[in-house]
Amino acid sequence: MINYRSGIVKSIINDEKDITIVNVNVEGKVCKAVNYKAFTGEVNVEDEVVLNTTAVDLCLGTGGCHFIIYNHRNKVMESKGPGHIMKLRYTPYQMSCLVTEEEDSPYHNIFNDFKSLDNHVFVVSTLHSMVAPIAAMIKYINKDLNINYIMTDGGALPIAFSNTVRDLKHKEILNKTITVGHAFGGDLETINIYTGLIAAKEILKGDITIISMGPGIVGSGTKYGFTGMEQGYIVDAINNLGGLAVAVPRISFKDLRERHKGISHHTITVLSQITNTRANIVLPYLEKEKEDYIINQISKAKIQEKHNIIFQNGEKIQKAMDKFNLKTSSMGRTIEDDKDYFISLGSVGQYVTSLF
């Protein structure tokens, strides 16, 4: 279930507000480790720490580094700030948060008075690597549009783990963030995706809200066993509350796995079987052979009968990413390695911008 070992911190790689990346000597081998300050406090060189080494021991990509779970120097920690709702409930790391819905929140009454999302635009993606290209494309076309981000609990739970979010906020591409469910660390916290949607529209009041899990989608090579399934019920939640749902397809012709060729089986499964309401699905203009392949996938799964299919040009994505100096990769592939993936995200940004 869990592997843990002791180690000695040898150097600080990077220190941010909520997270520190360090090098730790574990049984004579120097390894990278993550320290979340909310759990284990500040960390210094020569601190003796206990590490969760499970993912590295299993040679996993998702979660594949050590995590500090106890620092012998920090024997006592006192919680700071308001809030009575627990996230990571009934685990040793359960933590109190001030969620927007609770009675102590200044926003409490907003949720009782809520009527509709009034066609607020929500972009529902499945991979964390989709967030930066889509947001960059929107800002490249219209710098005045205000973009916020909802992070679900389908991947990494601490938003501090996302270098992408930190970079996008620093470059003023993203404005504010909301962490929903057991995800934590956003500018706002909510109990579930429904109240997260309401908070995005009623509290943050942006123009566009991008939704995705944090880094580290979980898959199993089976039809239904992946955390990107959340895209389906999020689309339904948006529509049921009166928003406008744009579903981002996962498209690549460079993934060697046949199930992810063209439109990934993840997207096809969600949009053909899981959603119960209509979404706007944006597809890119590509070479004819690739377009025909995608159209055949859409037709075979009868997705066009359930959703609005919109083709858009995403070719400006390279210029958008260059403008903001973004080095995004997905599954280890950059825009130079997998241009179609990034063009598809550019087409989403192009379409969403056209709504304003």
Side-chain angles (χ1 to χ4, degrees):
M1 293 287 289
I2 180 172
N3 299 348
Y4 57 89
R5 293 178 174 83
S6 292
I8 302 294
V9 177
K10 304 310 294 181
S11 63
I12 307 294
I13 299 173
N14 187 38
D15 186 32
E16 302 287 346
K17 177 184 175 183
D18 299 313
I19 185 173
T20 306
I21 311 300
V22 299
N23 280 320
V24 182
N25 187 319
V26 182
E27 299 175 353
K29 183 178 180 180
V30 176
C31 310
K32 186 172 77 171
V34 176
N35 180 70
Y36 293 116
K37 298 178 184 180
F39 294 149
T40 48
E42 299 285 345
V43 62
N44 296 328
V45 173
E46 296 303 322
D47 282 353
E48 182 182 359
V49 295
V50 179
L51 303 136
N52 181 331
T53 64
T54 310
V56 174
D57 293 343
L58 293 174
C59 301
L60 299 182
T62 297
C65 56
H66 295 330
F67 293 87
I68 295 175
I69 56 179
Y70 182 71
N71 187 330
H72 287 277
R73 184 172 56 83
N74 300 329
K75 297 188 183 300
V76 177
M77 285 186 62
E78 299 287 345
S79 62
K80 300 175 182 178
H84 295 87
I85 302 299
M86 307 300 283
K87 293 201 175 188
L88 310 185
R89 291 182 289 278
Y90 303 102
T91 73
Y93 283 117
Q94 64 179 351
M95 58 189 297
S96 61
C97 298
L98 178 67
V99 299
T100 56
E101 306 97 313
E102 68 176 285
E103 291 184 3
D104 288 347
S105 167
Y107 307 115
H108 173 72
N109 288 330
I110 286 175
F111 297 93
N112 290 325
D113 298 336
F114 170 77
K115 296 292 188 290
S116 172
L117 293 175
D118 295 324
N119 281 322
H120 181 91
V121 177
F122 293 93
V123 179
V124 190
S125 52
T126 56
L127 297 178
H128 195 65
S129 61
M130 294 174 168
V131 176
I134 294 171
M137 188 69 163
I138 294 168
K139 280 290 190 180
Y140 177 77
I141 298 169
N142 187 341
K143 63 181 177 58
D144 295 324
L145 289 176
N146 189 317
I147 309 169
N148 295 308
Y149 171 58
I150 294 176
M151 192 177 94
T152 72
D153 55 9
L157 300 181
I159 200 169
F161 191 73
S162 173
N163 293 324
T164 295
V165 170
R166 191 158 39 248
D167 188 38
L168 293 178
K169 291 188 75 175
H170 175 73
K171 293 174 179 175
E172 298 183 339
I173 300 171
L174 286 183
N175 184 22
K176 297 290 185 180
T177 62
I178 302 172
T179 37
V180 305
H182 286 288
F184 63 90
D187 294 301
L188 296 178
E189 306 272 7
T190 68
I191 294 172
N192 59 49
I193 186 61
Y194 296 91
T195 47
L197 300 174
I198 295 169
K201 190 261 181 180
E202 299 288 348
I203 301 173
L204 298 186
K205 300 183 184 296
D207 299 303
I208 299 162
T209 303
I210 299 175
I211 306 171
S212 84
M213 67 184 70
I217 188 172
V218 176
S220 63
T222 62
K223 186 173 184 179
Y224 303 107
F226 61 98
T227 51
M229 284 282 263
E230 67 179 20
Q231 185 182 41
Y233 63 74
I234 292 174
V235 164
D236 289 342
I238 292 164
N239 287 324
N240 290 337
L241 293 181
L244 191 156
V246 178
V248 183
R250 176 177 172 180
I251 295 175
S252 174
F253 287 90
K254 292 296 185 179
D255 198 310
L256 299 179
R257 296 166 294 181
E258 186 67 23
R259 65 184 183 274
H260 290 302
K261 181 180 179 181
I263 302 178
S264 167
H265 78 106
H266 287 181
T267 297
I268 291 172
T269 298
V270 168
L271 297 179
S272 65
Q273 296 188 26
I274 306 305
T275 54
N276 293 301
T277 58
R278 184 172 290 268
N280 296 302
I281 304 171
V282 184
L283 301 176
Y285 290 116
L286 300 173
E287 295 94 330
K288 185 178 186 305
E289 182 180 349
K290 293 176 180 177
E291 272 189 30
D292 289 346
Y293 189 91
I294 288 172
I295 291 170
N296 181 60
Q297 288 180 296
I298 292 285
S299 178
K300 187 176 179 180
K302 299 181 179 180
I303 292 173
Q304 77 282 1
E305 297 177 11
K306 294 186 64 175
H307 302 286
N308 304 321
I309 307 298
I310 302 155
F311 276 87
Q312 223 11 297
N313 193 317
E315 290 287 344
K316 292 181 181 178
I317 188 60
Q318 180 75 70
K319 292 181 179 179
M321 292 179 65
D322 287 347
K323 177 178 179 179
F324 295 108
N325 192 28
L326 297 179
K327 307 298 182 184
T328 306
S329 64
S330 182
M331 305 296 167
R333 296 185 295 272
T334 65
I335 189 169
E336 290 78 17
D337 302 322
D338 196 354
K339 192 173 182 181
D340 299 327
Y341 173 82
F342 288 89
I343 288 175
S344 71
L345 302 179
S347 69
V348 173
Q350 183 81 43
Y351 168 71
V352 169
T353 310
S354 73
L355 299 174
F356 294 87

